[in-house]
Amino acid sequence: MADPAECTIKVMCRFRPLNSSEVTRGDRYIPKFQGEDTVVIASKPYMFDRVFQSSTTQEQVYNACAQKIVKDVLEGYNGTIFAYGQTSSGKTHTMEGNLHDTDAMGIIPRIVQDIFNYIYSMDENLEFHIKVSYFEIYLDKIRDLLDVSKTNLSVHEDKNRVPYVKGCTERFVCSPDEVMDTIDEGKSNRHVAVTNMNEHSSRSHSIFLINVKQENTQTEQKLSGKLYLVDLAGSEKVSKTGAEGAVLDEAKNINKSLSSLGNVISALAEGTAYIPYRDSKMTRILQDSLGGNCRTTIVICASPSSYNESETKSTLMFGQRAKTIKNTVTVNVELTAEQWKQKYEREKEKNKTLRNTVTWLENELNRWRNGENVPVEEQFDKEKANAEVLALDNIINEKTASTPNIPGVRLTDVEKDKCEAELAKLYKQLDDKDEEINQQSQLAEKLKQQMLDQEELLASSRRDHENLQAELNRLQAENEASKDEVKEVLQALEELAVNYDQKSQEVEDKTKEFETISEELSQKSSILSSLDSELQKLKEMSNHQKKRVTEMMSSLLKDLAEIGIAVGSNDIKQHEGGSGMIDEEFTVARLYISKMKSEVKTMVKRCKQLEGTQSESNKKMDENENELAACQLRISQHEAKIKSLTEYLQNVEQKKRQLEENVDSLNEELVKLSAQEKVHAMEKENEIQTANEIKEAVDKQIHSHREAHQKQISNLRDELDNKEKLITELQDLNQKIILEQERLRVEHEKLKSTDQEKSRKLHELTVMQDRREQARQDLKGLEETVAKELQTLHNLRKLFVQDLATRVKKSAEMDSDDTGGSAAQKQKISFLENNLEQLTKVHKQLVRDNADLRCELPKLEKRLRATAERVKALESALKEAKENAARDRKRYQQEVDRIKEAVRAKNMARRGHSAQIAKPIRPGQQPVASPTHPNINRSGGGFYQNSQTVSIRGGSSAKPEKN
């Protein structure tokens, strides 16, 4: 096979003229043409390889689109031409036209004529084998148009993973007339219909396949090429075509397959990894034509009418996407034994050089990994190795080109005439044998078909029996499963009833707890009110005592002021001999002051009592607040529990209803199954009771079950209503308690604020009382304080003298110690100085070494990085070399397997009795056509032959004719 080459898909655009209905409707002609490759629609240009105007002839379209593909197919390439567009846009006219009119015929008949014209003008050493297939894709099923009994063919892949239609009819042909007869036969079997937009609307995608195989009898070179000629059905809008019934179903399948084609084109244009070829059979068949080994030309046909402007734009966008797709084309060549030998030698030498490269790279990599430094001249040079491989290929190619061809033997005219007469006689005998072989093969095919029919009948009866047995087993299993489910449902219902009783008991318990808590709350509130009243009384008493204290303090202050004024103004005159009066006054003052002291002490005791009572009341209030908070917490907990219980009851009710419905349905199914079992049992035992009576009994049973379940459901619903009423009453009571609690909390806040205000005032009074007491104590203890200070001063003087004596003694002892220990201290100091000098020297040396290492570190890092990069490069080169070697080894193995398979096929063909018989056409000899169209059924990867094979030799001057 030759080296692959990329080529893009060619896209041609053709506009048909306005038809009569569009002219009658008054539609505008919307396309505007710019040159031969651009069309403008609604001010937007669309560029293609070629744009054909409405006046373009069929011959011009053929010369631009298809003429070059004929030559490519005969040179060993694959080709595809298909027309795409909306319905009634001229696709069938472009591909087929009028098959028997020289001016109006389309691409397919012109290609057929050109293929044979090229063959007749080629080298006389070439021998051609041409076979054709014709099938359609209707309702996403492949239907053979040459054998209408084959209605649902499948798509398979050959050994080269190229898709083909398995079982389709393949006819060998040797003239254009035979091909045209085949096309006429297939076209008569194709599906068409009448719509609002087209009188002959194609309802299927038709594919005409031409397979050309050629062999050079002198060099034994074999080439093969396939040409797909596809006429797609048009996309349709039901609102425009008016499709109904079967035509509507056909339109749905057509649009679906065209949508799959559009998805494939979009995926190929975007370059995505996954291409959805398998979404439809049409894209599966055309897989090699779209992005594979094929030269493809797409003719997009469009309507010029403004009525179809949106469809025309969509078609042009499809063409622009398809234009970006690239195919990889190669020549389909079968190499001769000498060419295989040369290729083997070339691959062997290349493999040898690659092995040497791998060993070199491994050695170099091992040296790098061991830490060696490989010089540049010893390192592997990739460019040099590639140059050596190319030089080796050139030497081998020159050797193959220099081998001379063996010249052919020249014959005289007499010998030629004699050989031709002998050949004609031999061909006559071969034709007779061909007819006999054809008859025998037809008889064998009929017998084989009958045997296949019988086998299908037996298989279908076996399948029916197995299906019935499986259905019976399934029904029995379902019956058992339904019984188990009924048991499980009954158990679940019992558990639900138990749970329901437990939850109802829990609700009753919680309501009782709630009632007790509400009673406790009422008791606590009454206690709180009594405490509040006591607190009010205590506050009144404290206010009364404070008033009395203030009055007494004010009178005391007045008396003290009068005494101070009397003492300070010297109103009391000292008379000589009047000391008795002064003593009396002092005694009176002392009595008065002692009285005042006793009064103050009683006032202090009373204040302490009041403070104690206030602290007790505060403690009680804190305890009440804690109890109130605990009550609030309990209330919130009970509310949450009640809410969760109500939700749980609702969920239980829903589950119960669902389970009841399931039980009803399962009971009905169980009754039906039991009735069916009874019916089967009665049929087996041939009892007299009829099925209607059983049905009535089953209906009665079902009715009784339904009534019982309805009664049970009504009772449960009544109980649920009662529970819901109880829950609503509890919720109302809870709301009332919450409101009462809120009111108490507000009152408590008020009492707390008033109590804080009174405590603040009491604190101020106590502070004033303390200040007055402090002033009295200061006046009383002034003399004691002065005496104490004098005593402390005397003590301090004594301590100072003692401290001074002890310090003098200590200084004398220190002087005696200094004279003895100075030498040892000097030695220690000198030793420490020496150590310090050594440490400074070592530190300086370490600093210098560190600086040197820092200078060397970047160089070492650079060398290490270079070594790592070199190792990575060598590893990647080694990996690439190994992959290339593995790839070449795999390719070599595939080629060897292919050679073995070809040799095995040749040996089998030689041993078989159904060998292909070629009838070459020589120059000056009229081509002999076969009396019938021989058929070949393709199955699997090879051919099952049931007819003769016709081959055509190049170099003939005239076209073949039928005998």
Side-chain angles (χ1 to χ4, degrees), residues 61-284:
V61 172
Y62 172 76
N63 292 334
C65 297
Q67 196 170 28
K68 191 176 182 304
I69 287 185
V70 174
K71 189 177 178 182
D72 293 336
V73 170
L74 293 175
E75 288 176 355
Y77 292 99
N78 296 332
T80 300
I81 301 173
F82 70 86
Y84 177 87
Q86 74 170 120
T87 185
S88 76
S89 59
K91 299 180 298 300
T92 306
H93 176 73
T94 300
M95 294 302 296
E96 296 179 1
N98 191 343
L99 295 176
H100 304 288
D101 188 350
T102 54
D103 295 329
M105 66 173 57
I107 291 175
I108 294 176
R110 291 178 190 274
I111 276 183
V112 171
Q113 295 288 345
D114 258 10
I115 286 174
F116 285 95
N117 289 337
Y118 270 110
I119 289 173
Y120 296 144
S121 64
M122 293 176 77
D123 187 9
E124 64 180 3
N125 293 320
L126 296 175
E127 183 177 288
F128 290 85
H129 297 264
I130 302 175
K131 54 186 177 182
V132 296
S133 301
Y134 200 11
F135 50 87
E136 69 173 359
I137 302 172
Y138 177 70
L139 298 178
D140 205 26
K141 292 182 181 179
I142 301 174
R143 181 171 172 269
D144 196 344
L145 293 175
L146 302 180
D147 186 358
V148 293
S149 62
K150 299 174 181 178
T151 57
N152 191 8
L153 302 177
S154 58
V155 182
H156 289 251
E157 288 183 351
D158 60 11
K159 60 184 179 182
N160 296 323
R161 300 190 65 80
V162 178
Y164 71 93
V165 179
K166 184 179 179 181
C168 71
T169 303
E170 293 182 332
R171 290 187 179 176
F172 284 95
V173 292
C174 61
S175 68
D177 293 336
E178 289 187 3
V179 179
M180 296 307 295
D181 291 343
T182 304
I183 293 172
D184 287 336
E185 180 184 350
K187 193 175 179 182
S188 64
N189 295 325
R190 191 179 175 190
H191 284 85
V192 294
V194 178
T195 65
N196 293 342
M197 297 184 71
N198 194 354
E199 293 181 357
H200 302 282
S201 177
S202 302
R203 312 313 296 166
S204 63
H205 311 296
S206 70
I207 300 174
F208 186 69
L209 173 61
I210 302 174
N211 197 336
V212 180
K213 289 187 178 181
Q214 58 176 297
E215 181 180 359
N216 193 324
T217 56
Q218 186 176 2
T219 62
E220 295 184 355
Q221 183 78 34
K222 293 181 181 179
L223 298 176
S224 63
K226 290 188 291 186
L227 179 59
Y228 288 92
L229 301 171
V230 186
D231 178 20
L232 297 175
S235 59
E236 298 183 3
K237 272 191 176 179
V238 179
S239 60
K240 292 184 178 181
T241 59
E244 295 177 353
V247 180
L248 179 60
D249 295 334
E250 292 167 355
K252 290 178 183 177
N253 281 279
I254 290 167
N255 291 336
K256 183 181 177 183
S257 60
L258 291 175
S259 175
S260 301
L261 176 62
N263 293 335
V264 169
I265 295 290
S266 298
L268 288 168
E270 293 170 2
T272 56
Y274 171 69
I275 312 298
Y277 289 115
R278 295 180 180 269
D279 285 357
S280 74
K281 292 187 177 179
M282 182 185 65
T283 54
R284 187 82 177 98

Side-chain angles (χ1 to χ4, degrees), residues 668-686:
E668 290 178 1
E669 290 179 2
L670 186 62
V671 171
K672 287 180 181 177
L673 288 171
S674 62
Q676 288 179 1
E677 288 179 357
K678 286 180 181 179
V679 169
H680 287 303
M682 288 164 58
E683 285 179 356
K684 287 179 182 178
E685 295 173 359
N686 294 323

Side-chain angles (χ1 to χ4, degrees), residues 408-529:
V409 180
R410 297 290 179 182
L411 298 175
T412 61
D413 294 337
V414 177
E415 290 174 345
K416 283 183 179 179
D417 294 338
K418 194 181 288 184
C419 288
E420 287 174 359
E422 189 67 27
L423 282 171
K425 186 177 178 182
L426 289 171
Y427 282 135
K428 183 66 176 172
Q429 293 176 2
L430 286 173
D431 289 338
D432 296 337
K433 295 294 182 184
D434 285 341
E435 289 179 1
E436 290 180 6
I437 290 168
N438 192 13
Q439 290 174 0
Q440 293 296 328
S441 62
Q442 287 177 358
L443 183 61
E445 189 66 27
K446 287 180 181 177
L447 292 172
K448 188 177 179 182
Q449 189 65 36
Q450 290 177 2
M451 188 173 68
L452 290 173
D453 293 339
Q454 293 296 328
E455 287 178 356
E456 286 180 358
L457 228 93
L458 286 170
S460 64
S461 62
R462 284 199 196 99
R463 282 196 299 273
D464 293 338
H465 180 263
E466 289 174 357
N467 292 332
L468 289 171
Q469 190 67 29
E471 186 69 21
L472 183 61
N473 293 331
R474 187 181 63 79
L475 287 171
Q476 290 177 354
E478 286 180 357
N479 189 10
E480 294 295 328
S482 62
K483 288 179 180 178
D484 295 337
E485 286 178 359
V486 167
K487 289 179 182 178
E488 291 175 359
V489 168
L490 291 172
Q491 289 176 359
L493 279 174
E494 290 176 359
E495 291 176 358
L496 279 173
V498 172
N499 290 331
Y500 184 77
D501 294 336
Q502 291 176 356
K503 295 300 177 183
S504 59
Q505 187 65 35
E506 288 179 2
V507 169
E508 291 176 358
D509 295 338
K510 295 299 179 183
T511 51
K512 290 178 181 178
E513 289 180 5
F514 186 76
E515 289 174 357
T516 55
I517 288 166
S518 59
E519 289 175 358
E520 289 178 0
L521 185 62
S522 61
Q523 291 175 2
K524 296 291 181 183
S525 59
S526 61
I527 293 167
L528 185 63
S529 60

Side-chain angles (χ1 to χ4, degrees), residues 548-563 592 596 599 603 772:
R548 285 186 63 193
V549 168
T550 52
E551 288 174 358
M552 289 175 70
M553 290 295 292
S554 61
S555 63
L556 181 61
L557 287 172
K558 285 179 182 178
D559 292 338
L560 287 172
E562 288 176 358
I563 291 167
Y592 192 68
M596 286 172 64
E599 289 290 335
M603 286 175 66
R772 288 173 184 174

